[in-house]
Amino acid sequence: MSSEASGQLNEYQQYELQKVAARGKNTTTLVALVYPPAAYYLVGKTGIAALCFFTAHFGLLAHIVAPFHVRRIITNSRRQVGGTYSSDGNPLLIVVGVLLSMGFLLVLLFGASIILGIGL
């Protein structure tokens, strides 16, 4: 019976989960708001990071989805590894950050349309 079938992790998998679990949720969330591919790279999801980069951040949808997804990846790895980690603050900060980043993107888009002479 393999180690995955029995629910146990080998040493490498344990090490990788510990690296992800040690990441700060708030820091990684802020990185995800600014540049989602970098946040996915920080939590070891290089495939998703590449996909996010080459699809122009999923049509800018990644700026909304990535903060929640990255926090969930860290939470799941902490649950699998066990142990205690410092409190990362209130998840409401994510909602406020997403709203602020969406507002920033809209202002940036509006400013670019004025400079380029394209009416929205």
Side-chain angles (χ1 to χ4, degrees):
M1 181 182 280
S2 71
S3 65
E4 285 187 41
S6 65
Q8 296 177 347
L9 301 172
N10 64 32
E11 290 179 23
Y12 178 74
Q13 291 170 328
Q14 186 76 16
Y15 172 73
E16 290 296 320
L17 283 174
Q18 287 173 346
K19 280 188 350 184
V20 173
R23 295 275 180 205
K25 284 184 182 179
N26 289 338
T27 305
T28 312
T29 301
L30 290 175
V31 171
L33 286 170
V34 176
Y35 193 61
Y40 282 121
Y41 182 76
L42 285 174
V43 295
K45 300 292 184 183
T46 53
I48 296 175
L51 181 67
C52 188
F53 177 77
F54 288 115
T55 60
H57 307 191
F58 305 119
L60 299 179
L61 183 64
H63 289 278
I64 298 168
V65 175
F68 296 103
H69 188 220
V70 168
R71 278 182 84 91
R72 191 66 183 165
I73 291 170
I74 294 172
T75 301
N76 288 342
S77 65
R78 286 180 180 180
R79 190 174 299 133
Q80 286 181 334
V81 170
T84 58
Y85 295 91
S86 63
S87 176
D88 289 309
N90 191 347
L92 183 61
L93 293 175
I94 299 175
V95 175
V96 172
V98 167
L99 293 176
L100 289 175
S101 68
M102 288 175 46
F104 174 74
L105 290 173
L106 288 174
V107 167
L108 189 67
L109 179 67
F110 184 68
S113 70
I114 289 173
I115 291 171
L116 295 174
I118 304 169
L120 288 178

